[in-house]
Structure formats: C-alpha cells, structure tokens
Amino acid sequence: MTDLTTLLSSNPYPGRGVLCARTRSGSVLGGYFLTGRSAASKDRALRVDGDDLVVGPIAPTGHDPLRHYAAAQSTPDWLVFGNGEQVSQVTERLRAGASAADSLGGLEYEPDAPIRTSRITALLSRDGGRTAVLGAARPSTGSRLSTNVMTLTVQDLEPGEAVLLTTYRSDGRTVLVAAPFDETTVDATTGAELLDEIWSALNPEYRVAAVVLDPAKGPAAALRREA
C-alpha cells in the first residue's frame, strides 16, 4: 500500500478527507482535514462547541451550509465525522436506533454544480475503534446526475494501516471525483504524530485545517492544526 504522505503529496488539492487509522502503537484514531482554493474556503477554522467539533468562519459572516457544519459528533457507541451537514443527520439517525450502515444511506452529494462534491462520513466504534464504517454519497464520473451511495465496513486494522476517503483528485486547477477509497499506511505512534503526518503531507498552498480524533475521548478532545 502507498503510505499516507506519498498519497496526499501526489494529490495537491484533495478537497476534504476522512481517515481511519491504527497507529503503530495500536490506537485507532480518526482524522479529518480541509483544503481550499478560494478565499471563502480558506476563511474557516475548527472549534469545539459543547460536545461537538464544528467548522465555522474566521471572519464574521453569514452561515453557509456547504462550508459551515458540525464536523464531528458522537453517540454512546459511535464517533461520527465528515465533511458536511450530513454528520448531524447521521448522528441523529444513530441516536434514533439506526444501524451504522442504514445511518449512511439515502444521502446526496453536495449541490455545488459543476463540481458536485461528495459527502464523505466516517463512523468509528467507541469500543477502541475495532470497527470503522465509512460512507460516501458520490457523483458519477459520467453525465448521470443521480448519486452513488457507498458504504464500506473495515474491521481489525493492523498497526500502521489506514483507510482514506477524499472528495477530489486535483492538481488545484482541474477538479475530478476522487477514487471511492484508498488503503494506505501511517508511521505515527500517537495522535499528535498522526496530526503532524497529515498536516505535513498536505500542500501548504491549499491546506486549511486538520484534526485527529480519539473515539474514546470524543470530539471535544480533538487535536487540531490550522493554517
């Protein structure tokens, strides 16, 4: 498998990404990052709001549901994180008793034509992260406008293994739909090292913020890095 640094370095503008990784020391952690090209996309920061981690504007501005949202929430059984308002929707479904797979169903990609950004979401079980369930509501790479909904369940990652979902495959100019998912490897042994590994692999021209989440501790204990 290609290591995370090589994978992200070869994709200068990945948009947003979710990562489920088992560190070399055995801890299962989640990662989420934002990159941006426009001034509006770069005018964002991660902050803790109660028990949630939210993406909001740095400068005073109106709410934009495509750029401002709860990026990480939790239930007693799951840590939920992703790139849009679907995080709250998935969390509410879980709290109402839906299964992990069902909670990720029926979502749509973002209404931001012509790019049609995928909605990507990850669930990590709070039993030490033994199970990761990742979902993506993705546009077709062809002309079809209906949404492709993918759900991927990953169990028992080995130390150093990870699964990554990104929204784009892009050189910063031409934006394409990313691959459904990538299996990759990480070198980190701690959450702080994983955050450094993600951050250093992102292109400085586009990186906005990154976070590492421990499913046992929840969103409020997230480790954060911002441009």
Side-chain angles (χ1 to χ4, degrees), residues 185-197:
T185 62
V186 297
D187 290 328
T189 60
T190 66
E193 289 179 0
L194 183 59
L195 183 59
D196 287 341
E197 193 168 344

Side-chain angles (χ1 to χ4, degrees), residues 144-156:
R144 177 171 51 85
L145 296 180
S146 57
T147 302
N148 295 331
V149 179
M150 178 202 78
T151 304
L152 173 71
T153 300
V154 179
Q155 292 184 304
D156 300 325

Side-chain angles (χ1 to χ4, degrees), residues 5 31 36-37 42 58 67 74 86 92-93 97 102 157 164 166 169-170 181 188 200 206 214:
T5 296
R37 296 184 298 173
K42 293 181 177 181
I58 298 172
R67 292 187 296 114
S74 62
Q86 84 279 0
E92 286 305 310
R93 290 175 176 179
D102 286 346
L157 288 167
L164 173 72
T166 62
R169 176 75 189 174
S170 174
F181 65 93
S200 63
Y206 303 112
D214 183 332

Side-chain angles (χ1 to χ4, degrees), residues 121-161:
T121 316
L123 281 63
L124 275 178
S125 60
R126 303 192 72 181
D127 58 359
R130 181 176 180 271
T131 302
V133 185
L134 301 100
R138 308 173 69 243
S140 167
T141 56
S143 58
R144 177 171 51 85
L145 296 180
S146 57
T147 302
N148 295 331
V149 179
M150 178 202 78
T151 304
L152 173 71
T153 300
V154 179
Q155 292 184 304
D156 300 325
L157 288 167
E158 291 292 326
E161 290 185 343

